[in-house]
Amino acid sequence: MLEFEDVIYVDNNATTPVDPRVKEEILPYLGEKYGNPNSMHQKGREARAPIDEARERVASLLNSRSEEIIFTSSATESNNHAIKGTACSKKQQGKHIITTKIEHKSVKEPINYLKKQGYKTTYLDVDKDGYIDLEELKDSVRDDTIFVSIMLANNEIGTIEPVKEAAQIIPDQTIFHTDAAQVPGKLEIDVDKLGIDLLTINGHKMYGPKGVGALYINEKTEIDPLLHGGGQELGRRSGTENVPYIVGLGKAAEVAEEEQKKDKEKLTKFQQQVIEEITQEVEKTKLNGPKEPRLPGNVNISFKGVEGEALVLRLDGRGISASTGSACASEQLEASYVLKEIGLKPEHAHSSLRIGFSRFNTQEDVDNLIKELKEVVKQLRSISAL
Amino acid sequence: MLEFEDVIYVDNNATTPVDPRVKEEILPYLGEKYGNPNSMHQKGREARAPIDEARERVASLLNSRSEEIIFTSSATESNNHAIKGTACSKKQQGKHIITTKIEHKSVKEPINYLKKQGYKTTYLDVDKDGYIDLEELKDSVRDDTIFVSIMLANNEIGTIEPVKEAAQIIPDQTIFHTDAAQVPGKLEIDVDKLGIDLLTINGHKMYGPKGVGALYINEKTEIDPLLHGGGQELGRRSGTENVPYIVGLGKAAEVAEEEQKKDKEKLTKFQQQVIEEITQEVEKTKLNGPKEPRLPGNVNISFKGVEGEALVLRLDGRGISASTGSACASEQLEASYVLKEIGLKPEHAHSSLRIGFSRFNTQEDVDNLIKELKEVVKQLRSISAL
């Protein structure tokens, strides 16, 4: 547990706290080590070496070469870069893009934007547990398919997509991207074994800060930059390097690699306890997404007749931070498109609660969450019965 | 002076230290206030309010409305957004872009990229002091001109461009952008008085952190987003908000506004002292850029027969951090294109030293810098004479 924590925070698929070990490594770069890493004097040099080290740490986490990692400002930037960078560099080859219907908006929206610019798009269906159909993927690939994006694990319902198997189907001349934002520290990521060309990770889903991400670009893959300018990151992403956060992401990657096995075990245990106790002991509930295998720590359950928003607010009143749907969409009133795509009716989609555990949650958190959640559901149902 | 400082740092046009007051406001958001501002629970709400406050602080600095400010990851992103966002939204209207020959690379390179995509470009010449010619601008504007970008102050030679006068010439249907990255805290910025549509600022040139910037978008100006996704920043810039740095940029803006008059006075005094003592007391020197008015704090002098790089390294050896050319280009061996454009021969461009003072420099720093610089130049010239 974090010493400063004053709530039971179980909304870690929206954002994680910064690991104190990460914060500690960031601080000197907001203080005395403020140099521009592109400067040739002492202040510049002392900011250059830690970027190299951070790159090696991220590369180690993903089993890539360090030259294959570029630092970005977010998963959103990494995804936009992957998509638009490919669209621009490959437009002579074709204009067809394949993705799934349950991607994060930072994949979905740039592809929708390209569609308006005249690109052709195929959105793969998913089944009731959120899995794509590899046969449909096979049938969708065309001669002019330049890009495929399939997420590694869904942020709302925890489905782990068959990315490795998809890579076998996708032809060499098509660039294959996966958004792995939710995965570091929970499951192993090996870019070689996955057989992908581009992979996105995100600082603030892996106990690093908000405002930093990375994009793995296979050494054989050529895509246009999204940010042109001073030529940083070997010309692939311009802008003065965000040294403090890059150092932070590096540390977060190192901790994720070291503690992945332990964290996975704990997150899976907490997740399975909530799934079992709630779906078995509370009536008219439904687990959204697969039971197992599932992204460790993620739970998504619909409570018939209960408004998800009311659930979140009542839990909040009891000191528990959880969510309904994804944080990006939570200001909007529409129900989760992910839940719609797995076949939920709007009223069931609106009655969902998402829980995401972190390495800082304790057994006590889980027990309290289950207890409070049962009470709140009961309370809300009794009001609704009136 | 900063309590942790161990060198005389006079490379503040490359990057500034983070003001301790800014760092102090950042810290809680790397700690207990880690929520995603798009979440509806307590942790989310406590991260939302400070973003609104930061936006008001930046708006106040620029005399804009707060809804006209979006936060980005850097000046590079702001400039790419301004340029590519306009190019995409206005491509039916025309494909002609005007800029100057001495823009920062984060303006120059995205425009060069668009040129390769079929856009037409006009690069305005500058005179020996770096000023554009308003008559040339007038003659360059065409019916299909969709975008003009003219920097407010040059990062290498301190020229303050006649942006306000240019705005009178540029037609309403043409979007007018200015890169003001170097200006906050040194000169007043008033978007109304300037009459511009888009304006870029940068955290780490105004005592904020590296990895955050802002783009002013006039309420009447419509440009496409560069980052599509969750719809943050009113749909104009997606990606989970970098709360710590946004708060930091807000504080940096507040301090810049409060201390601008005092800082300008001090920076101008230091600047003029160096210009006068060095150009008068060291032979065969030449000030690059105008003497007055000039971006406060910036000095750029060529020392005939002396390699700029050798100068920087020798000064570094004596605990003084300065630069030759801009930091972005300093890894490259080519001479500064800005110095070439104001008419310097390559050997003079290669012999230049750039100095940039900050609010943390002291009179003692300036006196020591002048003393050491004179000695180093003498030393290098005596070697070269051998």
Side-chain angles (χ1 to χ4, degrees), chain A residues 2 4-7 9 11-12 14-18 23 26-43 45-46 48 73-74 76-77 80-81 84-85 88-89 91 104-107 109-110 113 117 202 204-205 209-212 224-232 237-245 308-309 312-313 316 319-324 326-332, chain B residues 2 4-7 9 11-12 14-18 23 26-43 45-46 48 73-74 76-77 80-81 84-85 88-89 91 104-107 109-110 113 117 202 204-205 209-212 224-232 237-245 308-309 312-313 316 319-324 326-332:
Chain A
L2 291 162
F4 55 68
E5 196 58 282
D6 51 358
V7 295
Y9 184 79
D11 195 10
N12 291 283
T15 196
T16 52
V18 178
K23 181 177 175 185
I26 288 175
L27 293 183
Y29 298 94
L30 291 172
E32 71 276 15
K33 295 184 179 178
Y34 59 78
N36 185 324
N38 306 293
S39 298
M40 63 171 75
H41 46 63
Q42 179 197 325
K43 281 283 169 193
R45 290 192 305 271
E46 74 185 18
R48 169 56 56 194
S73 69
S74 58
T76 294
E77 184 190 324
N80 273 263
H81 186 161
K84 296 172 186 171
C88 289
S89 70
K91 68 182 168 197
H104 188 268
K105 285 201 171 185
S106 57
V107 167
E109 293 302 329
Y113 180 69
Q117 317 288 318
N202 195 354
H204 79 101
K205 311 285 188 188
K210 294 163 191 48
V212 68
D224 282 10
L226 184 67
L227 298 182
H228 292 83
Q232 289 87 350
R237 198 273 184 184
S238 290
T240 299
E241 295 88 342
N242 181 346
V243 187
Y245 280 13
E309 199 167 316
V312 168
L313 292 175
D316 189 39
I320 296 173
S321 304
S323 69
T324 173
S326 79
C328 296
S330 67
E331 284 185 343
Q332 296 146 21
Chain B
L2 291 162
F4 54 68
E5 195 58 282
D6 51 358
V7 296
Y9 183 79
D11 195 11
N12 291 281
T15 195
T16 53
V18 178
K23 182 178 174 184
I26 288 174
L27 293 183
Y29 298 93
L30 291 172
E32 70 278 14
K33 296 184 178 178
Y34 58 79
N36 185 324
N38 306 293
S39 298
M40 61 171 77
H41 47 64
Q42 179 197 324
K43 281 283 168 194
R45 291 193 306 273
E46 74 185 18
R48 169 56 57 194
S73 69
S74 58
T76 294
E77 184 190 325
N80 274 264
H81 186 161
K84 296 173 187 171
C88 288
S89 70
K91 68 182 168 196
H104 187 268
K105 285 200 171 185
S106 58
V107 168
E109 293 301 331
Y113 180 68
Q117 317 289 317
N202 195 354
H204 80 100
K205 312 284 187 187
K210 294 163 193 48
V212 67
D224 282 10
L226 184 67
L227 298 182
H228 291 83
Q232 289 88 349
R237 199 272 184 184
S238 291
T240 299
E241 295 88 343
N242 181 347
V243 188
Y245 280 13
E309 198 167 316
V312 168
L313 293 175
D316 189 39
I320 297 173
S321 304
S323 70
T324 173
S326 79
C328 296
S330 69
E331 282 187 342
Q332 295 146 20

Side-chain angles (χ1 to χ4, degrees), chain B residues 59-258:
Chain B
S60 172
L61 175 71
L62 305 179
N63 192 32
S64 77
R65 296 153 41 109
S66 64
E67 311 82 68
E68 294 174 319
I69 302 299
I70 64 167
F71 294 110
T72 66
S73 69
S74 58
T76 294
E77 184 190 325
S78 295
N79 289 339
N80 274 264
H81 186 161
I83 294 163
K84 296 173 187 171
T86 302
C88 288
S89 70
K90 290 241 174 198
K91 68 182 168 196
Q92 303 304 332
Q93 187 188 310
K95 288 195 155 190
H96 181 235
I97 291 169
I98 300 173
T99 188
T100 80
K101 289 189 175 169
I102 61 163
E103 293 299 311
H104 187 268
K105 285 200 171 185
S106 58
V107 168
K108 198 178 158 90
E109 293 301 331
I111 292 177
N112 287 346
Y113 180 68
L114 289 176
K115 193 176 177 183
K116 284 184 205 151
Q117 317 289 317
Y119 285 77
K120 307 293 169 200
T121 49
T122 300
Y123 298 89
L124 302 175
D125 280 318
V126 293
D127 69 12
K128 65 174 187 33
D129 281 335
Y131 292 109
I132 58 158
D133 176 354
L134 291 167
E135 285 303 313
E136 191 193 355
L137 171 62
K138 208 173 200 170
D139 294 343
S140 303
V141 173
R142 315 186 321 203
D143 286 346
D144 63 341
T145 305
I146 52 171
F147 185 78
V148 179
S149 186
I150 298 171
M151 70 200 322
L152 196 49
N154 186 273
N155 52 310
E156 292 188 41
I157 56 170
T159 313
I160 300 161
E161 298 293 347
V163 167
K164 188 177 164 185
E165 293 72 17
Q168 313 287 325
I169 293 169
I170 296 163
D172 283 351
Q173 74 273 19
T174 302
I175 292 181
F176 184 25
H177 167 252
T178 188
D179 176 359
Q182 292 286 344
V183 182
K186 296 175 195 157
L187 300 169
E188 187 203 38
I189 303 178
D190 182 321
V191 291
D192 273 348
K193 286 190 198 162
L194 285 173
I196 44 87
D197 303 309
L198 303 170
L199 180 142
T200 293
I201 65 167
N202 195 354
H204 80 100
K205 312 284 187 187
M206 54 188 278
Y207 314 103
K210 294 163 193 48
V212 67
L215 181 63
Y216 157 80
I217 306 177
N218 183 286
E219 57 181 338
K220 293 178 191 143
T221 305
E222 280 179 30
I223 62 171
D224 282 10
L226 184 67
L227 298 182
H228 291 83
Q232 289 88 349
E233 301 287 285
L234 297 174
R236 295 173 298 182
R237 199 272 184 184
S238 291
T240 299
E241 295 88 343
N242 181 347
V243 188
Y245 280 13
I246 287 173
V247 167
L249 183 62
K251 184 64 183 176
E254 186 187 69
V255 177
E257 190 174 1
E258 283 169 7

Side-chain angles (χ1 to χ4, degrees), chain A residues 90-379:
Chain A
K90 290 241 174 198
K91 68 182 168 197
Q92 302 306 332
Q93 186 188 310
K95 288 194 155 192
H96 181 237
I97 291 169
I98 301 173
T99 188
T100 80
K101 289 188 177 170
I102 61 164
E103 294 299 312
H104 188 268
K105 285 201 171 185
S106 57
V107 167
K108 199 178 158 91
E109 293 302 329
I111 291 176
N112 287 345
Y113 180 69
L114 289 176
K115 194 176 177 181
K116 285 184 204 150
Q117 317 288 318
Y119 284 78
K120 307 293 170 200
T121 49
T122 300
Y123 299 89
L124 302 175
D125 280 317
V126 294
D127 69 12
K128 64 173 186 35
D129 282 334
Y131 293 109
I132 59 160
D133 176 353
L134 291 168
E135 285 302 313
E136 192 193 355
L137 171 63
K138 208 173 199 167
D139 294 342
S140 303
V141 174
R142 316 187 319 205
D143 287 346
D144 63 342
T145 305
I146 53 170
F147 185 78
V148 178
S149 186
I150 297 170
M151 69 200 323
L152 197 49
N154 186 274
N155 51 311
E156 293 188 41
I157 56 170
T159 313
I160 300 160
E161 298 294 348
V163 167
K164 190 179 162 184
E165 292 73 16
Q168 313 286 324
I169 293 168
I170 296 164
D172 284 350
Q173 74 273 21
T174 303
I175 292 181
F176 185 25
H177 167 252
T178 188
D179 177 357
Q182 293 285 346
V183 182
K186 297 174 194 157
L187 299 170
E188 187 202 39
I189 303 178
D190 183 322
V191 291
D192 272 349
K193 286 189 196 162
L194 286 173
I196 43 90
D197 303 309
L198 303 170
L199 180 142
T200 293
I201 65 167
N202 195 354
H204 79 101
K205 311 285 188 188
M206 55 187 279
Y207 314 101
K210 294 163 191 48
V212 68
L215 180 64
Y216 157 79
I217 306 178
N218 183 286
E219 56 181 338
K220 291 176 192 145
T221 305
E222 280 180 30
I223 62 172
D224 282 10
L226 184 67
L227 298 182
H228 292 83
Q232 289 87 350
E233 300 287 284
L234 297 175
R236 294 173 299 182
R237 198 273 184 184
S238 290
T240 299
E241 295 88 342
N242 181 346
V243 187
Y245 280 13
I246 288 172
V247 167
L249 183 62
K251 183 64 182 176
E254 186 188 68
V255 177
E257 189 173 1
E258 283 169 6
E259 304 196 350
Q260 186 235 300
K261 214 182 139 205
K262 190 178 78 181
D263 283 351
K264 180 186 174 183
E265 203 170 300
K266 174 174 157 174
L267 294 173
T268 304
K269 183 177 146 227
F270 289 172
Q271 168 187 53
Q272 295 303 326
Q273 185 188 341
V274 174
I275 291 175
E276 276 161 33
E277 292 194 24
I278 296 294
T279 59
Q280 285 169 18
E281 296 169 25
V282 183
E283 55 174 6
K284 296 178 185 169
T285 53
K286 181 193 172 305
L287 175 68
N288 300 315
K291 183 150 188 277
E292 268 187 294
R294 182 177 179 114
L295 180 68
N298 170 280
V299 177
N300 191 316
I301 294 175
S302 286
F303 298 84
K304 199 179 174 188
V306 177
E307 278 289 330
E309 199 167 316
L311 209 47
V312 168
L313 292 175
R314 293 245 168 178
L315 286 172
D316 189 39
R318 293 172 180 232
I320 296 173
S321 304
S323 69
T324 173
S326 79
C328 296
S330 67
E331 284 185 343
Q332 296 146 21
L333 289 176
E334 49 179 316
S336 154
Y337 60 87
V338 173
L339 296 181
K340 277 194 229 167
E341 293 299 341
I342 61 168
L344 265 68
K345 289 179 189 162
E347 63 265 31
H348 288 117
H350 274 297
S351 75
S352 73
L353 184 75
R354 182 180 69 171
I355 291 159
F357 292 109
S358 80
R359 68 164 68 113
F360 302 115
N361 287 123
T362 61
Q363 183 61 52
E364 201 187 342
D365 287 348
V366 182
D367 297 339
N368 280 330
L369 164 71
I370 292 173
K371 179 176 154 286
E372 302 285 349
L373 179 55
K374 283 179 181 173
E375 283 181 24
V376 166
V377 169
K378 200 170 171 184
Q379 208 175 49

Side-chain angles (χ1 to χ4, degrees), chain B residues 50 78 90 171 188 190 212 260 265 276 279 282 294 307 309 324 352 358 383-384:
Chain B
S78 295
K90 290 241 174 198
E188 187 203 38
D190 182 321
V212 67
Q260 186 235 301
E265 202 171 300
E276 276 161 34
T279 58
V282 182
R294 181 178 180 114
E307 278 290 330
E309 198 167 316
T324 173
S352 74
S358 81
I383 296 170
S384 134

